[in-house]
Amino acid sequence: MKKYDYLIVGAGLFGAAFAQIMTERGKRCVVIEKRESVGGNIATEAEDGIVVHKFGAHIFHTSDKRVWDYVNRFAEFNNFVNSPIANYKGKLYNLPFNMHTFYQLWGCKTPQEARAIIDAQRAAAGIKEPKNLEEKALMSVGEDVYRTLIKGYTEKQWGKDCKFLPSFIIGRVPLRFVYDNNYFNDRYQGIPVGGYTPLVAKMLEGTEVLLGTDYFSDRAKFDALADTVVYTGAIDRYFDYKFGELEYRSLRFETEKLDTDDYQGNAVVNYTDYDVPYTRIIEHKHFEKTVSDTTIITREYPLQFSTGCEPYYPINDEKNTALYKKYADLAADNKKVLFGGRLAGYKYYDMDDTVAAVFEMTDRL
């Protein structure tokens, strides 16, 4: 008899939600986490009364009521609405692309005026079948929006000229011909009061959690603890890079405490000029409207991924997709291990997608 039904590798959102649901169903679970705190990349910590998002801004948004009701069991969510600002060469623009943005670009005041300009620029581009990201953007939004608000930010983020990036990276670029700065279209949106780490800790109440514990330090010993392993780490690492390493983009965070009550007046400001080395500045106090004499900001710098870096954004191009398929086939043949989460799935998940994936897995079990 094994001591546990499930050994869960990783105390991020996927691992915590899986452990909570299965523990609630009477299963014996243990979670191991190589970091010294729970939460994974949504982890937060309080400093001088300000909740700091340690690994980038995370705003929970969803239209799935089951998902929303579930996370609200573990925290009270505020009514934060994500309305980022873009800074291009010192001039500010509203995001997402809406009538405020079009007024700032061209001075137009009606949807008809904005549509006429964008349609003319699309026609001038003359692109029917885009071969790369640049062509996809020009076909979708025209020259001005692309050059001002997409090109520099995207090239910093991915470390390549847009001409050499696949078109699917940006998907469908939404244009709103209304005055609406709400970045998300989802019905529910907010941030847990007090941050995500307390939310995850609440999920894990009643489950044994071992922090500072690296699964790969003694895989055989840990595997022997449970009937089934739930693995949320990098899938290529699990299989000892048998077919080679999957590629990612990483991030470097530069956090600074400032002796002012407000640095930028908004939670998120994107810097879309390529010559500015960081992609955005986050001012954490705006997430919870914290009143204080000081503030804390974080600059996000895109980083070339290498061993030892944190993998953030999978590079889902043709080469890496084919490589992941080989690992996914191995995972499908492994009957004693369940693979879940963004690293195991080599896919960027929003938080609501992560919870929905846990529902799908636990419902199936």
Side-chain angles (χ1 to χ4, degrees):
M1 291 289 291
K2 300 288 179 103
K3 186 176 180 182
Y4 301 99
D5 296 299
Y6 295 101
L7 167 78
I8 298 132
V9 181
L13 183 59
F14 190 99
F18 183 96
Q20 190 282 321
I21 291 171
M22 299 312 286
T23 298
E24 193 170 64
R25 294 180 184 176
K27 300 298 182 181
R28 300 161 300 165
C29 298
V30 60
V31 177
I32 61 173
E33 167 59 52
K34 66 181 179 180
R35 291 176 177 171
E36 296 295 337
S37 63
V38 301
N41 284 352
I42 65 171
T44 55
E45 63 182 5
E47 182 177 344
D48 292 342
I50 299 171
V51 175
V52 176
H53 294 224
K54 293 173 65 176
F55 305 102
H58 289 86
I59 297 94
F60 203 100
H61 58 97
T62 186
S63 292
D64 187 327
K65 190 173 188 302
R66 184 187 179 193
V67 168
W68 183 245
D69 288 345
Y70 177 75
V71 295
N72 273 267
R73 290 176 53 188
F74 309 103
E76 175 190 356
F77 278 72
N78 65 18
N79 61 349
F80 179 82
V81 172
N82 190 29
S83 302
I85 300 292
N87 183 317
Y88 178 72
K89 298 185 182 296
K91 186 172 180 180
L92 301 181
Y93 301 87
N94 289 105
L95 298 175
F97 312 137
N98 70 87
M99 284 303 300
H100 290 289
T101 321
F102 307 145
Y103 177 77
Q104 291 150 355
L105 280 167
W106 308 305
C108 55
K109 301 181 180 65
T110 68
Q112 291 75 21
E113 292 175 293
R115 282 196 180 94
I117 293 171
I118 291 171
D119 287 346
Q121 292 187 5
R122 285 167 167 167
I127 299 164
K128 302 298 183 185
E129 296 292 334
K131 299 180 181 63
N132 54 54
L133 189 149
E134 177 164 291
E135 291 185 357
K136 174 70 173 293
L138 290 170
M139 184 183 78
S140 301
V141 299
E143 181 84 14
D144 291 347
V145 173
Y146 169 64
R147 299 289 176 192
T148 306
L149 300 173
I150 296 176
K151 179 176 169 60
Y153 186 96
T154 304
E155 290 180 348
K156 287 188 289 186
Q157 186 79 347
W158 294 102
K160 289 184 179 180
D161 189 297
C162 286
K163 294 186 182 72
F164 304 110
L165 289 169
S167 60
F168 67 78
I169 285 180
I170 59 172
R172 186 182 68 85
V173 182
L175 295 171
R176 294 183 185 168
F177 294 96
V178 292
Y179 291 91
D180 180 6
N181 296 325
N182 183 352
Y183 197 80
F184 302 118
N185 290 315
D186 290 302
R187 181 177 179 184
Y188 309 106
Q189 181 176 178
I191 293 174
V193 175
Y196 287 97
T197 294
L199 178 149
V200 172
K202 185 77 172 174
M203 283 182 168
L204 290 169
E205 286 182 358
T207 300
E208 187 174 351
V209 179
L210 304 176
L211 298 176
T213 304
D214 185 354
Y215 173 68
F216 293 103
S217 66
D218 197 339
R219 191 194 305 198
K221 180 187 79 171
F222 292 122
D223 286 348
L225 292 175
D227 296 323
T228 303
V229 173
V230 179
Y231 178 77
T232 70
I235 192 169
D236 53 348
R237 175 71 179 90
Y238 182 86
F239 292 107
D240 298 318
Y241 308 109
K242 179 177 182 178
F243 304 117
E245 292 189 40
L246 292 164
E247 294 179 300
Y248 292 86
R249 288 288 287 172
S250 192
L251 292 170
R252 177 173 68 86
F253 300 99
E254 184 182 88
T255 298
E256 183 179 4
K257 180 179 175 181
L258 300 175
D259 190 21
T260 180
D261 64 342
D262 199 339
Y263 175 75
Q264 63 186 17
N266 203 53
V268 181
V269 176
N270 291 353
Y271 285 78
T272 60
D273 180 358
Y274 184 82
D275 292 333
V276 177
Y278 41 85
T279 50
R280 61 180 179 173
I281 295 179
I282 298 164
E283 188 167 11
H284 301 272
K285 69 189 307 178
H286 292 293
F287 291 127
E288 297 196 27
K289 301 178 181 177
T290 305
V291 177
S292 63
D293 294 332
T294 59
T295 192
I296 297 173
I297 64 169
T298 299
R299 298 177 183 88
E300 289 188 14
Y301 294 82
L303 193 64
Q304 183 71 33
F305 178 76
S306 60
T307 303
C309 291
E310 183 68 24
Y312 283 96
Y313 302 107
I315 301 176
N316 298 116
D317 58 13
E318 187 174 338
K319 180 185 77 170
N320 283 287
T321 299
L323 182 57
Y324 168 70
K325 175 66 165 56
K326 293 181 180 180
Y327 286 120
D329 289 342
L330 286 181
D333 291 337
N334 192 326
K335 304 306 180 187
K336 293 189 176 182
V337 181
L338 301 172
F339 294 83
R342 64 183 183 87
L343 295 178
Y346 196 62
K347 181 179 179 182
Y348 183 82
Y349 282 110
D350 284 330
M351 289 179 286
D352 62 325
D353 296 327
T354 299
V355 175
V358 175
F359 286 165
E360 190 279 329
M361 181 179 286
T362 55
D363 288 350
R364 176 163 40 86
L365 292 170

